[in-house]
């Protein structure tokens, strides 16, 4: 299997979908990455844990509908090809 732009697109879509389906109460809070943890004070730089938690929350918010549509499009392209 060659490394193409299409395979890179598939891999990135799988990773984004994997992040989008992470449930905060079932998984993230048990690992210590809940929304109530890692809250810093005013004027402090957020740590890497807080930044990753914000990234996961942002991906989940943005990719709710778009992730499903793009996944279906990729599956249809895989069936055709």
């Amino acid at each position: 299997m060659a490394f193409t732009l299409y395979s890179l697109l598939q891999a990135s879509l799988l990773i984004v979908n994997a992040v989008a389906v992470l449930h905060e109460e079932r998984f993230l809070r048990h690992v210590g990455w809940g929304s109530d943890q890692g809250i810093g004070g005013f004027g402090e730089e957020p740590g890497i844990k807080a930044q990753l938690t914000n990234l996961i929350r942002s991906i989940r918010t943005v990719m709710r509908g778009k992730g499903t549509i793009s996944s279906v499009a990729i599956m249809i392209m895989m069936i055709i090809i």
Side-chain angles (χ1 to χ4, degrees):
M1 182 173 155
F3 184 72
T4 62
L5 184 61
Y6 180 70
S7 63
L8 185 65
L9 177 69
Q10 276 183 323
S12 62
L13 182 66
L14 285 173
I15 291 171
V16 167
N17 280 337
V19 170
V21 298
L22 288 176
H23 196 271
E24 190 167 346
E25 291 178 9
R26 291 184 187 163
F27 176 73
L28 295 176
R29 191 161 291 158
H30 291 296
V31 184
W33 285 37
S35 60
D36 56 348
Q37 295 152 352
I39 299 172
F42 180 74
E44 293 180 8
E45 285 290 320
I48 188 75
K49 187 176 176 182
Q51 289 178 354
L52 286 175
T53 305
N54 286 335
L55 177 67
I56 290 170
R57 194 174 303 118
S58 299
I59 288 173
R60 287 177 57 213
T61 301
V62 171
M63 294 303 289
R64 263 182 213 166
K66 297 174 189 171
T68 306
I69 293 169
S70 60
S71 295
V72 168
I74 292 291
M75 284 186 242
I76 290 172
M77 286 178 59
M78 287 177 65
I79 291 171
I80 291 173
I81 295 175

